[in-house]
């Protein structure tokens, strides 16, 4: 009887620990070339049809694919206008924001979350008459006011309106001194971390990832942060001087080892790593996947997203 009770207790503990707190729906997964499948990930909570879009390289094509896979409910118009409540834009490269720009005429009023340098890029280079028109509420006239800029200050959490989510921004280095950023997303007391394009600190001659790891290490130790979406753009064969502010499988392991040093844990077995931004040139995506799975000393759980297929995460 005692053994049965202990077994039931272990089952309950495992079930609670594995409870699903986030749904991620990839609208686009690649880091270039395929314009209908570029970086964009909807994050929301289970049973809620409200989402924050983490980057926005591809929107409509991804929504169509997600509806096809039954990852989203409703029509394309309903998802775009009613279910996506805001956009986090990590940096100013087109493969992370083209879908936002192109779909802006059909979109509804909502919020854009970005660090100040990224807001400036949107104001000065995209939402202007020469390239499009200003659908935001600041910048070049005429101002249409559809989007409201929310500037993210390092380490300061703000709510994502009309959702149960909160977001905190952190700077990253993407060919130093060019800035990219990460979003720490909170629901209740659970967290998910999304990184835009980033190079390794050693290559970038920066400390942005080190500062980020310091910030999230306590959450990893407490089991409140179990998922990181992070880019691996090139296979290990890519020369370090030709990385252009990106990671390889070996560099990701190098950085995760630095996180492990800060958590004080023997390993990061409970960590889910969603691998984003693989460059789709030739067979690079499969090579990257193979290299990550074959060299996994920290025994993290790698997830390789597919466009339109929902990922349920703890």
């Amino acid at each position: 009887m005692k053994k049965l009770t202990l077994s039931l207790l272990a089952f309950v503990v495992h079930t609670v620990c594995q409870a699903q707190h986030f749904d991620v729906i990839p609208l686009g997964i690649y880091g270039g070339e395929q314009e209908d499948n570029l970086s964009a990930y909807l994050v929301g909570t289970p049973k809620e049809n409200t989402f924050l879009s983490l980057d926005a390289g591809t929107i409509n094509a991804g929504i169509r694919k997600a509806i096809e896979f039954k990852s989203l409910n409703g029509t394309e118009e309903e998802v775009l206008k009613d279910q996506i409540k805001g956009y986090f834009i990590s940096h100013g490269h087109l493969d992370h924001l083209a879908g936002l720009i192109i779909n802006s005429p059909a979109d509804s009023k909502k919020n854009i979350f970005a660090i100040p340098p990224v807001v400036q890029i949107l104001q000065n280079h995209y939402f202007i008459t020469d390239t499009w028109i200003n659908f935001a509420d600041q910048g070049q006239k005429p101002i249409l006011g559809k989007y409201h800029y929310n500037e993210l200050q390092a380490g300061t959490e703000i709510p994502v309106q009309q959702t149960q989510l909160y977001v905190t921004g952190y700077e990253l280095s993407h060919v130093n001194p060019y800035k990219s950023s990460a979003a720490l997303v909170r629901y209740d007391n659970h967290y998910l971390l999304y990184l835009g394009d980033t190079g390794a600190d050693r290559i970038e001659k920066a400390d942005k990832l080190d500062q980020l790891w310091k910030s999230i290490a306590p959450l990893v130790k407490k089991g409140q942060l179990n998922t990181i979406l992070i880019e691996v753009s090139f296979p290990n064969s890519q020369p370090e001087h030709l990385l252009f502010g990106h990671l390889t499988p070996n560099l990701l392991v190098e950085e995760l080892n630095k996180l492990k040093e800060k958590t004080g844990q023997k390993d990061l077995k409970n960590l889910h790593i969603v691998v984003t931004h693989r460059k789709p040139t030739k067979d690079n995506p499969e090579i990257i996947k193979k290299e990550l799975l074959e060299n996994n000393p920290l025994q993290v759980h790698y997830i390789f997203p597919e466009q339109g297929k929902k990922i349920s995460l703890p």
Side-chain angles (χ1 to χ4, degrees), residues 55-103:
D55 280 326
T58 293
I59 296 295
N60 246 340
I63 291 173
R64 287 196 295 274
K65 187 70 74 172
I67 291 172
E68 178 185 325
F69 284 120
K70 303 189 185 314
S71 300
L72 289 170
N73 299 312
T75 65
E76 296 165 32
E77 182 181 16
E78 288 168 344
V79 173
L80 176 66
K81 287 187 171 182
D82 302 330
Q83 296 181 27
I84 298 176
K85 300 301 185 181
Y87 303 93
F88 165 77
I89 303 299
S90 66
H91 64 294
H93 288 164
L94 280 168
D95 58 325
H96 292 258
L97 55 77
L100 165 64
I101 304 297
I102 293 298
N103 288 288

Side-chain angles (χ1 to χ4, degrees), residues 249-290:
N250 283 346
L251 287 172
L252 175 60
V253 173
E254 183 178 310
E255 287 296 340
L256 289 178
N257 267 305
K258 293 178 183 176
L259 172 60
K260 184 200 72 171
E261 291 169 5
K262 291 172 172 51
T263 63
Q265 296 175 210
K266 292 181 180 178
D267 53 45
L268 298 174
K269 285 183 182 178
N270 293 324
L271 201 59
H272 295 72
I273 302 291
V274 180
V275 180
T276 67
H277 205 267
R278 286 178 291 171
K279 298 284 187 181
T281 307
K282 297 182 181 178
D283 53 355
N284 276 1
E286 287 307 311
I287 294 172
I288 291 168
K289 180 178 180 179
K290 183 173 182 288

Side-chain angles (χ1 to χ4, degrees), residues 91 93 171-176 178-181 195-213 230-234 240 242-248 251-252 254-256 258 277:
H91 64 294
H93 288 164
E171 283 191 2
L172 300 173
S173 182
H174 181 39
V175 187
N176 195 8
Y178 188 85
K179 288 179 171 50
S180 178
S181 58
L195 287 80
D197 291 358
T198 182
D201 280 352
R202 176 173 60 80
I203 309 297
E204 295 286 304
K205 296 180 171 54
D207 67 347
K208 299 301 185 185
L209 283 174
D210 186 67
Q211 293 300 317
L212 180 61
W213 301 149
I230 188 168
E231 69 123 287
V232 182
S233 297
F234 296 108
E240 288 189 349
L242 295 176
L243 288 174
F244 310 112
H246 295 294
L247 296 175
T248 63
L251 287 172
L252 175 60
E254 183 178 310
E255 287 296 340
L256 289 178
K258 293 178 183 176
H277 205 267

